[in-house]
Amino acid sequence: MPQPPAYPVSDHFNGAIFFNPPAMEAAHIPPVPIPVEAGPKGKPRKRGGLISILRWRFREDRQPWPVLPPDPAPAGDPHRLPPPGAVSVTFIGHSSFLIRLPNLTILTDPVFSDRCSPVSWAGPKRARPPGRAFRDLPKIDLLLLSHNHYDHMDFPSLRAIRRRDDPVVVTPLGNARHLAKVGLNRVTELDWWGETRLADGTSITVTPARHFSARTLWDRGQSLWGGFMLKTGRHQIFFAGDSGHGRHWATIGQRLGSPDLALIPIGAYEPRQIMAAVHVNPAEAVAAHVAMGARQSIGMHFGTFKLTDEPIGAPPRDMAAARAAAGLADDAFVTLGSGETRLFSL
């Protein structure tokens, strides 16, 4: 078993493992009820925990997603630098984005492999290819890695990026040991609310998220998870990583200021009794946008790997309905096409 990391004890680290502080949970959202069934002597028995997860994962009625062809001509040019006061965003798939500022090129949670799995022959397989191949991207200056799950930290992709570009990496505590295995050594680990500053003056703050970490059955909670707030000049860009709903969204906006552009997950949310603690649904994603005071948001973490039960097209559709219900303009919270590059003003 891995040795516990030596980090200061906090409200989310007890000296051995990282965890979600109870105060993070959203007080205004009622807890999701767990169905009960009769147990021995008629006493109720909860259908939660590992057994219910295994039953869900291996039941026979799970519907596969269709395999979608690549877009032959995705919109925009990822090599074109944005003008001052703008950012170029390219959706590669799932939580992988190319983000370009006039003086900085960023890649988030890059996954170019066919599967998000510890092996190449099993595990969740892509329903659509990467919107842009890595070979077609400009040189990467900075990697943002939110946590160590296989759909966010993909070793073959990271090896390719290290060989070609050897970028700086910013990640939450405990993840540098994983990155060293693929030769990435220019790594800054940060706790929640920890900040680092790049040579060009851009500051990066790791923000709280309601999630968990594990790459094996034996290392759960050995590394931290989180999002990132980038501040460049007077502008801010937020990348959420993975998260369930909670009070942290409002806290991020209050402590760091509202982002001009936020990348927020909208997929992998059904069934709610299992997923609510770690993944927002589209309505909660819109609520996070409002709670942070984001000016514009982009949906992510959908339509690439079938991790949960919702249909492949449900997250963007449900997000649009939640956006309308919240009274937001159509362009306040959008999704990008596979491989699309779009300019956003800051």
Side-chain angles (χ1 to χ4, degrees), residues 26 29-35 52-53 56 59 210 243-246 249 265-285 301 308-310 318:
I29 298 177
V32 177
I34 298 175
S52 76
I53 293 173
W56 162 68
R59 75 179 193 270
R210 190 179 171 202
S243 184
H245 201 32
W249 305 119
I266 62 171
Y269 53 87
E270 293 291 350
R272 292 311 285 153
Q273 63 264 35
I274 294 175
M275 292 296 150
V278 293
H279 288 157
V280 293
N281 63 20
E284 292 166 342
H301 201 264
T308 50
D309 284 356
E310 72 273 7
D318 293 350

mmCIF file of all heavy atoms in Angstrom, residues 26 29-35 52-53 56 59 210 243-246 249 265-285 301 308-310 318:
data_model
loop_
_atom_site.group_PDB
_atom_site.id
_atom_site.type_symbol
_atom_site.label_atom_id
_atom_site.label_comp_id
_atom_site.label_asym_id
_atom_site.label_seq_id
_atom_site.Cartn_x
_atom_site.Cartn_y
_atom_site.Cartn_z
ATOM 1 N N ALA A 26 -24.019 21.069 -0.366
ATOM 2 C CA ALA A 26 -24.967 22.143 -0.633
ATOM 3 C C ALA A 26 -26.152 22.055 0.329
ATOM 4 O O ALA A 26 -26.952 21.124 0.258
ATOM 5 C CB ALA A 26 -25.448 22.066 -2.078
ATOM 6 N N ILE A 29 -29.845 21.922 -1.134
ATOM 7 C CA ILE A 29 -30.287 20.792 -1.937
ATOM 8 C C ILE A 29 -30.551 19.618 -1.012
ATOM 9 O O ILE A 29 -29.659 19.194 -0.271
ATOM 10 C CB ILE A 29 -29.227 20.409 -2.983
ATOM 11 C CG1 ILE A 29 -29.017 21.577 -3.948
ATOM 12 C CG2 ILE A 29 -29.613 19.156 -3.735
ATOM 13 C CD1 ILE A 29 -27.952 21.324 -4.966
ATOM 14 N N PRO A 30 -31.766 19.068 -1.006
ATOM 15 C CA PRO A 30 -32.052 17.952 -0.112
ATOM 16 C C PRO A 30 -31.222 16.731 -0.477
ATOM 17 O O PRO A 30 -30.889 16.526 -1.654
ATOM 18 C CB PRO A 30 -33.546 17.686 -0.339
ATOM 19 C CG PRO A 30 -33.831 18.244 -1.690
ATOM 20 C CD PRO A 30 -32.912 19.417 -1.845
ATOM 21 N N PRO A 31 -30.842 15.921 0.498
ATOM 22 C CA PRO A 31 -30.064 14.725 0.181
ATOM 23 C C PRO A 31 -30.856 13.784 -0.719
ATOM 24 O O PRO A 31 -32.076 13.708 -0.643
ATOM 25 C CB PRO A 31 -29.796 14.099 1.562
ATOM 26 C CG PRO A 31 -30.860 14.647 2.448
ATOM 27 C CD PRO A 31 -31.164 16.023 1.924
ATOM 28 N N VAL A 32 -30.157 13.089 -1.608
ATOM 29 C CA VAL A 32 -30.828 12.144 -2.494
ATOM 30 C C VAL A 32 -31.270 10.938 -1.685
ATOM 31 O O VAL A 32 -30.463 10.331 -0.979
ATOM 32 C CB VAL A 32 -29.866 11.704 -3.617
ATOM 33 C CG1 VAL A 32 -30.504 10.665 -4.519
ATOM 34 C CG2 VAL A 32 -29.420 12.908 -4.423
ATOM 35 N N PRO A 33 -32.559 10.562 -1.730
ATOM 36 C CA PRO A 33 -33.012 9.414 -0.943
ATOM 37 C C PRO A 33 -32.417 8.114 -1.469
ATOM 38 O O PRO A 33 -32.282 7.912 -2.676
ATOM 39 C CB PRO A 33 -34.528 9.442 -1.130
ATOM 40 C CG PRO A 33 -34.734 10.150 -2.429
ATOM 41 C CD PRO A 33 -33.631 11.169 -2.520
ATOM 42 N N ILE A 34 -32.046 7.230 -0.553
ATOM 43 C CA ILE A 34 -31.539 5.901 -0.918
ATOM 44 C C ILE A 34 -32.673 4.909 -0.745
ATOM 45 O O ILE A 34 -33.238 4.803 0.352
ATOM 46 C CB ILE A 34 -30.350 5.503 -0.028
ATOM 47 C CG1 ILE A 34 -29.199 6.496 -0.221
ATOM 48 C CG2 ILE A 34 -29.884 4.089 -0.346
ATOM 49 C CD1 ILE A 34 -28.033 6.241 0.701
ATOM 50 N N PRO A 35 -33.084 4.188 -1.801
ATOM 51 C CA PRO A 35 -34.164 3.227 -1.656
ATOM 52 C C PRO A 35 -33.828 2.176 -0.611
ATOM 53 O O PRO A 35 -32.660 1.814 -0.419
ATOM 54 C CB PRO A 35 -34.273 2.600 -3.057
ATOM 55 C CG PRO A 35 -33.585 3.554 -3.971
ATOM 56 C CD PRO A 35 -32.532 4.235 -3.154
ATOM 57 N N SER A 52 -24.560 -1.804 -4.254
ATOM 58 C CA SER A 52 -25.447 -1.155 -5.220
ATOM 59 C C SER A 52 -24.662 -0.641 -6.432
ATOM 60 O O SER A 52 -25.156 -0.667 -7.561
ATOM 61 C CB SER A 52 -26.224 -0.016 -4.565
ATOM 62 O OG SER A 52 -25.417 1.112 -4.369
ATOM 63 N N ILE A 53 -23.436 -0.161 -6.216
ATOM 64 C CA ILE A 53 -22.609 0.302 -7.330
ATOM 65 C C ILE A 53 -22.282 -0.860 -8.269
ATOM 66 O O ILE A 53 -22.367 -0.737 -9.494
ATOM 67 C CB ILE A 53 -21.328 0.969 -6.810
ATOM 68 C CG1 ILE A 53 -21.680 2.274 -6.085
ATOM 69 C CG2 ILE A 53 -20.349 1.230 -7.947
ATOM 70 C CD1 ILE A 53 -20.501 2.918 -5.398
ATOM 71 N N TRP A 56 -25.338 -1.835 -10.244
ATOM 72 C CA TRP A 56 -25.567 -0.874 -11.323
ATOM 73 C C TRP A 56 -24.579 -1.077 -12.453
ATOM 74 O O TRP A 56 -24.934 -1.107 -13.632
ATOM 75 C CB TRP A 56 -25.458 0.550 -10.764
ATOM 76 C CG TRP A 56 -25.248 1.591 -11.818
ATOM 77 C CD1 TRP A 56 -26.135 1.993 -12.773
ATOM 78 C CD2 TRP A 56 -24.050 2.357 -12.046
ATOM 79 N NE1 TRP A 56 -25.573 2.970 -13.573
ATOM 80 C CE2 TRP A 56 -24.301 3.210 -13.149
ATOM 81 C CE3 TRP A 56 -22.812 2.414 -11.415
ATOM 82 C CZ2 TRP A 56 -23.344 4.094 -13.630
ATOM 83 C CZ3 TRP A 56 -21.861 3.293 -11.900
ATOM 84 C CH2 TRP A 56 -22.136 4.122 -12.993
ATOM 85 N N ARG A 59 -25.304 -4.556 -14.434
ATOM 86 C CA ARG A 59 -26.630 -4.996 -14.843
ATOM 87 C C ARG A 59 -26.696 -5.107 -16.366
ATOM 88 O O ARG A 59 -25.936 -4.448 -17.097
ATOM 89 C CB ARG A 59 -27.701 -4.047 -14.310
ATOM 90 C CG ARG A 59 -27.819 -2.736 -15.009
ATOM 91 C CD ARG A 59 -28.942 -1.901 -14.403
ATOM 92 N NE ARG A 59 -29.277 -0.772 -15.239
ATOM 93 C CZ ARG A 59 -28.727 0.432 -15.151
ATOM 94 N NH1 ARG A 59 -27.817 0.661 -14.222
ATOM 95 N NH2 ARG A 59 -29.100 1.401 -15.958
ATOM 96 N N ARG A 210 -15.756 18.778 -5.126
ATOM 97 C CA ARG A 210 -16.382 17.702 -4.344
ATOM 98 C C ARG A 210 -16.279 16.419 -5.159
ATOM 99 O O ARG A 210 -17.098 16.129 -6.009
ATOM 100 C CB ARG A 210 -17.837 18.070 -4.054
ATOM 101 C CG ARG A 210 -18.520 17.172 -3.056
ATOM 102 C CD ARG A 210 -19.938 17.635 -2.818
ATOM 103 N NE ARG A 210 -20.682 16.684 -2.045
ATOM 104 C CZ ARG A 210 -22.007 16.601 -2.031
ATOM 105 N NH1 ARG A 210 -22.727 17.446 -2.760
ATOM 106 N NH2 ARG A 210 -22.620 15.684 -1.305
ATOM 107 N N SER A 243 -16.570 17.545 -10.245
ATOM 108 C CA SER A 243 -17.114 17.931 -8.945
ATOM 109 C C SER A 243 -18.600 17.643 -8.864
ATOM 110 O O SER A 243 -19.333 17.794 -9.850
ATOM 111 C CB SER A 243 -16.887 19.421 -8.674
ATOM 112 O OG SER A 243 -17.339 19.772 -7.374
ATOM 113 N N GLY A 244 -19.042 17.254 -7.661
ATOM 114 C CA GLY A 244 -20.446 17.306 -7.325
ATOM 115 C C GLY A 244 -20.820 18.725 -6.929
ATOM 116 O O GLY A 244 -19.961 19.615 -6.822
ATOM 117 N N HIS A 245 -22.120 18.934 -6.713
ATOM 118 C CA HIS A 245 -22.612 20.259 -6.365
ATOM 119 C C HIS A 245 -22.280 20.575 -4.904
ATOM 120 O O HIS A 245 -22.133 19.669 -4.085
ATOM 121 C CB HIS A 245 -24.117 20.311 -6.586
ATOM 122 C CG HIS A 245 -24.661 21.699 -6.757
ATOM 123 N ND1 HIS A 245 -23.943 22.714 -7.344
ATOM 124 C CD2 HIS A 245 -25.863 22.239 -6.407
ATOM 125 C CE1 HIS A 245 -24.674 23.816 -7.362
ATOM 126 N NE2 HIS A 245 -25.840 23.550 -6.803
ATOM 127 N N GLY A 246 -22.155 21.840 -4.584
ATOM 128 C CA GLY A 246 -21.861 22.194 -3.206
ATOM 129 C C GLY A 246 -21.659 23.679 -3.001
ATOM 130 O O GLY A 246 -21.749 24.479 -3.935
ATOM 131 N N TRP A 249 -18.799 26.373 -4.914
ATOM 132 C CA TRP A 249 -18.908 27.252 -6.080
ATOM 133 C C TRP A 249 -19.008 28.716 -5.661
ATOM 134 O O TRP A 249 -18.276 29.570 -6.172
ATOM 135 C CB TRP A 249 -20.120 26.879 -6.923
ATOM 136 C CG TRP A 249 -20.206 25.458 -7.376
ATOM 137 C CD1 TRP A 249 -21.203 24.554 -7.076
ATOM 138 C CD2 TRP A 249 -19.287 24.760 -8.232
ATOM 139 N NE1 TRP A 249 -20.953 23.345 -7.681
ATOM 140 C CE2 TRP A 249 -19.796 23.446 -8.403
ATOM 141 C CE3 TRP A 249 -18.107 25.123 -8.871
ATOM 142 C CZ2 TRP A 249 -19.148 22.496 -9.188
ATOM 143 C CZ3 TRP A 249 -17.451 24.177 -9.654
ATOM 144 C CH2 TRP A 249 -17.966 22.883 -9.800
ATOM 145 N N PRO A 265 -18.300 20.932 -15.765
ATOM 146 C CA PRO A 265 -18.823 19.642 -16.239
ATOM 147 C C PRO A 265 -20.346 19.627 -16.273
ATOM 148 O O PRO A 265 -21.007 20.245 -15.435
ATOM 149 C CB PRO A 265 -18.283 18.641 -15.217
ATOM 150 C CG PRO A 265 -17.967 19.443 -14.005
ATOM 151 C CD PRO A 265 -17.580 20.805 -14.484
ATOM 152 N N ILE A 266 -20.892 18.910 -17.272
ATOM 153 C CA ILE A 266 -22.344 18.778 -17.381
ATOM 154 C C ILE A 266 -22.772 17.327 -17.570
ATOM 155 O O ILE A 266 -23.970 17.045 -17.660
ATOM 156 C CB ILE A 266 -22.906 19.623 -18.545
ATOM 157 C CG1 ILE A 266 -22.338 19.160 -19.890
ATOM 158 C CG2 ILE A 266 -22.631 21.107 -18.323
ATOM 159 C CD1 ILE A 266 -23.016 19.795 -21.098
ATOM 160 N N GLY A 267 -21.830 16.371 -17.632
ATOM 161 C CA GLY A 267 -22.183 14.989 -17.930
ATOM 162 C C GLY A 267 -21.770 14.013 -16.856
ATOM 163 O O GLY A 267 -21.139 14.378 -15.872
ATOM 164 N N ALA A 268 -22.117 12.728 -17.068
ATOM 165 C CA ALA A 268 -21.839 11.619 -16.137
ATOM 166 C C ALA A 268 -22.575 11.816 -14.824
ATOM 167 O O ALA A 268 -21.959 11.875 -13.764
ATOM 168 C CB ALA A 268 -20.335 11.459 -15.922
ATOM 169 N N TYR A 269 -23.918 11.873 -14.899
ATOM 170 C CA TYR A 269 -24.705 12.232 -13.716
ATOM 171 C C TYR A 269 -25.824 11.266 -13.355
ATOM 172 O O TYR A 269 -26.513 11.485 -12.354
ATOM 173 C CB TYR A 269 -25.300 13.636 -13.898
ATOM 174 C CG TYR A 269 -26.076 13.868 -15.173
ATOM 175 C CD1 TYR A 269 -27.427 13.573 -15.258
ATOM 176 C CD2 TYR A 269 -25.441 14.414 -16.286
ATOM 177 C CE1 TYR A 269 -28.130 13.797 -16.434
ATOM 178 C CE2 TYR A 269 -26.133 14.642 -17.460
ATOM 179 C CZ TYR A 269 -27.480 14.334 -17.536
ATOM 180 O OH TYR A 269 -28.168 14.563 -18.697
ATOM 181 N N GLU A 270 -26.041 10.204 -14.104
ATOM 182 C CA GLU A 270 -27.107 9.256 -13.783
ATOM 183 C C GLU A 270 -26.519 7.868 -13.506
ATOM 184 O O GLU A 270 -25.600 7.431 -14.196
ATOM 185 C CB GLU A 270 -28.111 9.166 -14.941
ATOM 186 C CG GLU A 270 -28.913 10.423 -15.190
ATOM 187 C CD GLU A 270 -29.920 10.720 -14.083
ATOM 188 O OE1 GLU A 270 -30.128 9.838 -13.213
ATOM 189 O OE2 GLU A 270 -30.484 11.814 -14.079
ATOM 190 N N PRO A 271 -27.076 7.147 -12.507
ATOM 191 C CA PRO A 271 -28.194 7.489 -11.616
ATOM 192 C C PRO A 271 -27.774 8.430 -10.496
ATOM 193 O O PRO A 271 -26.663 8.330 -9.978
ATOM 194 C CB PRO A 271 -28.617 6.123 -11.059
ATOM 195 C CG PRO A 271 -27.366 5.302 -11.091
ATOM 196 C CD PRO A 271 -26.579 5.773 -12.285
ATOM 197 N N ARG A 272 -28.673 9.336 -10.124
ATOM 198 C CA ARG A 272 -28.333 10.383 -9.164
ATOM 199 C C ARG A 272 -27.979 9.835 -7.793
ATOM 200 O O ARG A 272 -27.147 10.404 -7.085
ATOM 201 C CB ARG A 272 -29.473 11.400 -9.021
ATOM 202 C CG ARG A 272 -29.714 12.257 -10.231
ATOM 203 C CD ARG A 272 -28.433 12.874 -10.781
ATOM 204 N NE ARG A 272 -27.902 13.984 -9.998
ATOM 205 C CZ ARG A 272 -26.625 14.312 -9.971
ATOM 206 N NH1 ARG A 272 -25.726 13.606 -10.637
ATOM 207 N NH2 ARG A 272 -26.225 15.351 -9.260
ATOM 208 N N GLN A 273 -28.606 8.734 -7.350
ATOM 209 C CA GLN A 273 -28.313 8.240 -5.999
ATOM 210 C C GLN A 273 -26.872 7.761 -5.874
ATOM 211 O O GLN A 273 -26.347 7.653 -4.768
ATOM 212 C CB GLN A 273 -29.278 7.121 -5.576
ATOM 213 C CG GLN A 273 -29.201 5.851 -6.419
ATOM 214 C CD GLN A 273 -30.243 5.836 -7.513
ATOM 215 O OE1 GLN A 273 -30.568 6.879 -8.066
ATOM 216 N NE2 GLN A 273 -30.782 4.655 -7.813
ATOM 217 N N ILE A 274 -26.213 7.531 -7.001
ATOM 218 C CA ILE A 274 -24.803 7.140 -6.977
ATOM 219 C C ILE A 274 -23.903 8.311 -7.365
ATOM 220 O O ILE A 274 -22.857 8.528 -6.750
ATOM 221 C CB ILE A 274 -24.569 5.944 -7.930
ATOM 222 C CG1 ILE A 274 -25.299 4.709 -7.406
ATOM 223 C CG2 ILE A 274 -23.073 5.656 -8.095
ATOM 224 C CD1 ILE A 274 -25.232 3.507 -8.329
ATOM 225 N N MET A 275 -24.314 9.097 -8.343
ATOM 226 C CA MET A 275 -23.437 10.106 -8.917
ATOM 227 C C MET A 275 -23.522 11.490 -8.272
ATOM 228 O O MET A 275 -22.628 12.312 -8.479
ATOM 229 C CB MET A 275 -23.718 10.247 -10.420
ATOM 230 C CG MET A 275 -23.306 9.037 -11.213
ATOM 231 S SD MET A 275 -21.508 8.798 -11.136
ATOM 232 C CE MET A 275 -21.423 7.019 -11.287
ATOM 233 N N ALA A 276 -24.571 11.783 -7.534
ATOM 234 C CA ALA A 276 -24.772 13.150 -7.033
ATOM 235 C C ALA A 276 -23.611 13.645 -6.175
ATOM 236 O O ALA A 276 -23.297 14.835 -6.177
ATOM 237 C CB ALA A 276 -26.078 13.237 -6.242
ATOM 238 N N ALA A 277 -22.968 12.750 -5.458
ATOM 239 C CA ALA A 277 -21.899 13.174 -4.549
ATOM 240 C C ALA A 277 -20.632 13.591 -5.279
ATOM 241 O O ALA A 277 -19.796 14.300 -4.700
ATOM 242 C CB ALA A 277 -21.577 12.053 -3.566
ATOM 243 N N VAL A 278 -20.475 13.184 -6.555
ATOM 244 C CA VAL A 278 -19.203 13.433 -7.230
ATOM 245 C C VAL A 278 -19.333 14.120 -8.586
ATOM 246 O O VAL A 278 -18.336 14.621 -9.120
ATOM 247 C CB VAL A 278 -18.406 12.118 -7.407
ATOM 248 C CG1 VAL A 278 -17.959 11.587 -6.055
ATOM 249 C CG2 VAL A 278 -19.213 11.062 -8.164
ATOM 250 N N HIS A 279 -20.538 14.146 -9.179
ATOM 251 C CA HIS A 279 -20.724 14.769 -10.489
ATOM 252 C C HIS A 279 -21.977 15.639 -10.480
ATOM 253 O O HIS A 279 -23.058 15.181 -10.080
ATOM 254 C CB HIS A 279 -20.900 13.710 -11.591
ATOM 255 C CG HIS A 279 -19.662 12.956 -11.930
ATOM 256 N ND1 HIS A 279 -19.681 11.706 -12.507
ATOM 257 C CD2 HIS A 279 -18.349 13.270 -11.784
ATOM 258 C CE1 HIS A 279 -18.447 11.279 -12.703
ATOM 259 N NE2 HIS A 279 -17.614 12.217 -12.264
ATOM 260 N N VAL A 280 -21.862 16.871 -10.932
ATOM 261 C CA VAL A 280 -23.048 17.713 -11.098
ATOM 262 C C VAL A 280 -23.865 17.219 -12.281
ATOM 263 O O VAL A 280 -23.333 16.630 -13.229
ATOM 264 C CB VAL A 280 -22.677 19.198 -11.327
ATOM 265 C CG1 VAL A 280 -22.043 19.804 -10.092
ATOM 266 C CG2 VAL A 280 -21.772 19.367 -12.552
ATOM 267 N N ASN A 281 -25.176 17.459 -12.225
ATOM 268 C CA ASN A 281 -25.998 17.273 -13.416
ATOM 269 C C ASN A 281 -26.117 18.627 -14.122
ATOM 270 O O ASN A 281 -25.610 19.643 -13.619
ATOM 271 C CB ASN A 281 -27.352 16.654 -13.062
ATOM 272 C CG ASN A 281 -28.203 17.535 -12.169
ATOM 273 O OD1 ASN A 281 -27.999 18.746 -12.084
ATOM 274 N ND2 ASN A 281 -29.177 16.938 -11.496
ATOM 275 N N PRO A 282 -26.742 18.704 -15.292
ATOM 276 C CA PRO A 282 -26.779 19.984 -16.013
ATOM 277 C C PRO A 282 -27.428 21.120 -15.236
ATOM 278 O O PRO A 282 -26.956 22.267 -15.312
ATOM 279 C CB PRO A 282 -27.568 19.634 -17.279
ATOM 280 C CG PRO A 282 -27.251 18.197 -17.527
ATOM 281 C CD PRO A 282 -27.209 17.586 -16.150
ATOM 282 N N ALA A 283 -28.496 20.841 -14.491
ATOM 283 C CA ALA A 283 -29.133 21.904 -13.700
ATOM 284 C C ALA A 283 -28.188 22.420 -12.631
ATOM 285 O O ALA A 283 -28.125 23.629 -12.359
ATOM 286 C CB ALA A 283 -30.433 21.397 -13.081
ATOM 287 N N GLU A 284 -27.427 21.518 -12.003
ATOM 288 C CA GLU A 284 -26.465 21.935 -10.990
ATOM 289 C C GLU A 284 -25.291 22.684 -11.618
ATOM 290 O O GLU A 284 -24.724 23.589 -11.000
ATOM 291 C CB GLU A 284 -25.981 20.706 -10.212
ATOM 292 C CG GLU A 284 -27.072 20.084 -9.352
ATOM 293 C CD GLU A 284 -26.722 18.695 -8.842
ATOM 294 O OE1 GLU A 284 -25.803 18.062 -9.402
ATOM 295 O OE2 GLU A 284 -27.388 18.234 -7.891
ATOM 296 N N ALA A 285 -24.917 22.307 -12.836
ATOM 297 C CA ALA A 285 -23.859 23.041 -13.538
ATOM 298 C C ALA A 285 -24.284 24.489 -13.778
ATOM 299 O O ALA A 285 -23.491 25.421 -13.597
ATOM 300 C CB ALA A 285 -23.535 22.351 -14.860
ATOM 301 N N HIS A 301 -17.043 17.399 -20.052
ATOM 302 C CA HIS A 301 -17.220 16.112 -19.374
ATOM 303 C C HIS A 301 -18.494 15.414 -19.858
ATOM 304 O O HIS A 301 -19.316 14.957 -19.079
ATOM 305 C CB HIS A 301 -17.256 16.337 -17.846
ATOM 306 C CG HIS A 301 -16.935 15.097 -17.049
ATOM 307 N ND1 HIS A 301 -17.905 14.270 -16.539
ATOM 308 C CD2 HIS A 301 -15.750 14.583 -16.642
ATOM 309 C CE1 HIS A 301 -17.340 13.293 -15.864
ATOM 310 N NE2 HIS A 301 -16.026 13.449 -15.910
ATOM 311 N N THR A 308 -21.663 6.645 -17.339
ATOM 312 C CA THR A 308 -22.897 6.581 -16.552
ATOM 313 C C THR A 308 -24.082 6.299 -17.481
ATOM 314 O O THR A 308 -23.899 5.885 -18.623
ATOM 315 C CB THR A 308 -23.093 7.888 -15.771
ATOM 316 O OG1 THR A 308 -22.934 8.999 -16.668
ATOM 317 C CG2 THR A 308 -22.059 8.025 -14.651
ATOM 318 N N ASP A 309 -25.309 6.540 -17.002
ATOM 319 C CA ASP A 309 -26.484 6.013 -17.686
ATOM 320 C C ASP A 309 -27.184 6.964 -18.649
ATOM 321 O O ASP A 309 -28.011 6.524 -19.444
ATOM 322 C CB ASP A 309 -27.520 5.552 -16.647
ATOM 323 C CG ASP A 309 -27.143 4.232 -15.998
ATOM 324 O OD1 ASP A 309 -26.126 3.636 -16.407
ATOM 325 O OD2 ASP A 309 -27.864 3.797 -15.078
ATOM 326 N N GLU A 310 -26.933 8.278 -18.572
ATOM 327 C CA GLU A 310 -27.681 9.176 -19.442
ATOM 328 C C GLU A 310 -27.301 8.957 -20.911
ATOM 329 O O GLU A 310 -26.166 8.584 -21.211
ATOM 330 C CB GLU A 310 -27.464 10.639 -19.041
ATOM 331 C CG GLU A 310 -26.102 11.211 -19.372
ATOM 332 C CD GLU A 310 -25.066 10.977 -18.295
ATOM 333 O OE1 GLU A 310 -25.366 10.242 -17.321
ATOM 334 O OE2 GLU A 310 -23.943 11.512 -18.408
ATOM 335 N N ASP A 318 -30.136 18.920 -21.754
ATOM 336 C CA ASP A 318 -30.607 19.240 -20.414
ATOM 337 C C ASP A 318 -30.002 20.534 -19.894
ATOM 338 O O ASP A 318 -30.626 21.276 -19.139
ATOM 339 C CB ASP A 318 -30.300 18.088 -19.458
ATOM 340 C CG ASP A 318 -31.091 16.826 -19.773
ATOM 341 O OD1 ASP A 318 -32.018 16.900 -20.617
ATOM 342 O OD2 ASP A 318 -30.779 15.767 -19.197
#
